[in-house]
Amino acid sequence: MSLGLPSHLSRAANSKALAVAARWAALVCLVMAIVNVAISTVGGTTGVGSWISTLVLMPMILLLLLLSRGRTVALTVAYLLVGAVCTFLYVYLLFESTPTYRDTNLFVVALPVVAMTLVGGTGTGALAGILWATLGFALAEAAVLLGATAAERVFRPDAISLGAYLLLVGILAFDGLTRGTRSRPQSAIHRAVRDARLVDLRRELLAESTADLHDTVLSELAAVAATESGELPQRLRARIESDLRALGGTAPPADASPSTAPPDDDSWYGSELRRAIEDARDEGLAVDVSGDREAVARLTDDSRRAVGLAVRQCLVNVLRHSGSATAEVAVSSGDSSVSVMVVDGGRGFAVASTSADRLGLRQSVHDRISKVGGTVTVYSSEDVGTTVIMTLPTEAA
């Protein structure tokens, strides 16, 4: 019954299910007692005065209905106390109106006793349920004994109420004994789900790290190849050191020179997109920027970083493969999206024939943009050039 539920929820779920079933069974017993008295009255077995005995069962029915809406210790205790008084009055009035009933070993007497036994309790364990059932059975039997003594009848334990008590105790004991057995396959299932999720997370982190490493290494190698022989320019050296620290997850040194860029509150100057364009210019590519640059501010932080790294890879591809010395980056925005287009007039390529193992276009562009909910469209043909359009949802969307 609890297979698939977390271990900390299965115990409460099982106990609640058993308690609800017991309370509804108790309600059925009380209704059956009323119906049985009605049938006996019509058949002449009991006197007309026995109808009064059925009225004293109404408080028990009302309390059971309240318990079905939400079980509490106070309501359960009230049900047991009120039920003991009602059972006493029910037995006494039934015997007084029916002289033919000589002892308590009767089905009509056992019904309210069973209803008292099946109260279910408010505990979340098998032991608590057994204690509540035992208390209800003991109070009900005591009420029957007092009612029979007051009506000068013989008290005899009936097999029906005793059997119901033993059955309920057996069910609760079985649930308590087998709960540990059920938790073992349950725990194994959740461990398997957790392990599968961890594998997926590792795979995603590995793919992202691979893409970052791929983009950074290619970009820096292209920049180094474009410089003249000799010592690297100071700006390129600082850029390579910054990228290496970013890959290693370390903070910049305390003596690092302050940036000459405008304040970070300007979304364009503080964006990965502008840095990708500046890096490409340092590598010798003439990049023209057009469109609404401030539209970058409408993107989330993750989207801004993703589009910046994707454009960086696109510009690296222009340097490495297109044969063109110029490129254009155009930024435009719509109601719920921002588009960034990278255009070059190089030799182009056949999109359908792109190798599936190429990290540049697949991981660094397509996968990176799709992870933030965007789309990538590539238009290219030989001797015409390549256009890559990246569309990302805005922060409001």
Side-chain angles (χ1 to χ4, degrees), residues 267 273 290-299 329-341 389-397:
S267 59
L273 179 56
S290 61
D292 183 11
R293 300 181 183 184
E294 299 305 319
V296 176
R298 301 177 57 197
L299 298 174
V329 176
V331 182
S332 61
S333 63
D335 293 336
S336 59
S337 64
V338 173
S339 297
V340 179
M341 182 170 60
I389 303 175
M390 291 159 280
T391 304
L392 301 97
T394 61
E395 188 168 8

Side-chain angles (χ1 to χ4, degrees), residues 255-288:
D255 58 349
S257 58
S259 173
T260 58
D264 286 341
D265 56 353
D266 188 318
S267 59
W268 170 254
Y269 283 97
S271 67
E272 289 280 352
L273 179 56
R274 177 185 175 276
R275 183 183 176 189
I277 294 171
E278 293 300 326
D279 289 347
R281 287 171 175 169
D282 290 342
E283 295 162 13
L285 183 66
V287 182
D288 293 330

Side-chain angles (χ1 to χ4, degrees), residues 79-283:
Y79 173 78
L80 292 178
L81 295 178
V82 172
V85 175
C86 292
T87 301
F88 166 77
L89 294 174
Y90 170 79
V91 173
Y92 175 76
L93 294 173
L94 186 65
F95 281 144
E96 284 294 317
S97 62
T98 312
T100 57
Y101 290 165
R102 307 307 304 171
D103 56 58
T104 58
N105 190 13
L106 298 169
F107 176 72
V108 70
V109 174
L111 288 174
V113 179
V114 175
M116 287 277 290
T117 305
L118 294 176
V119 64
T122 61
T124 57
L127 180 60
I130 292 175
L131 292 177
W132 281 110
T134 302
L135 180 61
F137 178 75
L139 288 175
E141 287 294 319
V144 172
L145 174 61
L146 293 176
T149 302
E152 299 180 350
R153 298 295 197 276
V154 179
F155 173 77
R156 289 183 181 177
D158 62 280
I160 296 176
S161 58
L162 181 60
Y165 167 72
L166 294 177
L167 177 62
L168 179 60
V169 170
I171 292 174
L172 293 173
F174 177 79
D175 176 65
L177 292 174
T178 59
R179 184 167 293 157
T181 304
R182 293 196 302 268
S183 66
R184 285 193 289 270
Q186 179 188 108
S187 300
I189 290 174
H190 289 287
R191 281 197 301 271
V193 173
R194 181 196 62 189
D195 293 343
R197 180 56 183 157
L198 287 175
V199 170
D200 291 338
L201 288 175
R202 291 192 187 99
R203 186 182 295 112
E204 292 175 4
L205 290 174
L206 179 60
E208 185 175 351
S209 299
T210 302
D212 288 346
L213 180 62
H214 171 269
D215 296 350
T216 303
V217 170
L218 283 184
S219 177
E220 306 303 359
L221 288 177
V224 172
T227 61
E228 297 179 356
S229 301
E231 186 177 358
L232 293 177
Q234 183 61 32
R235 181 174 179 180
L236 179 57
R237 180 190 297 272
R239 170 185 144 187
I240 293 175
E241 291 177 354
S242 176
D243 287 340
L244 290 176
R245 283 193 297 268
L247 288 176
T250 58
D255 58 349
S257 58
S259 173
T260 58
D264 286 341
D265 56 353
D266 188 318
S267 59
W268 170 254
Y269 283 97
S271 67
E272 289 280 352
L273 179 56
R274 177 185 175 276
R275 183 183 176 189
I277 294 171
E278 293 300 326
D279 289 347
R281 287 171 175 169
D282 290 342
E283 295 162 13

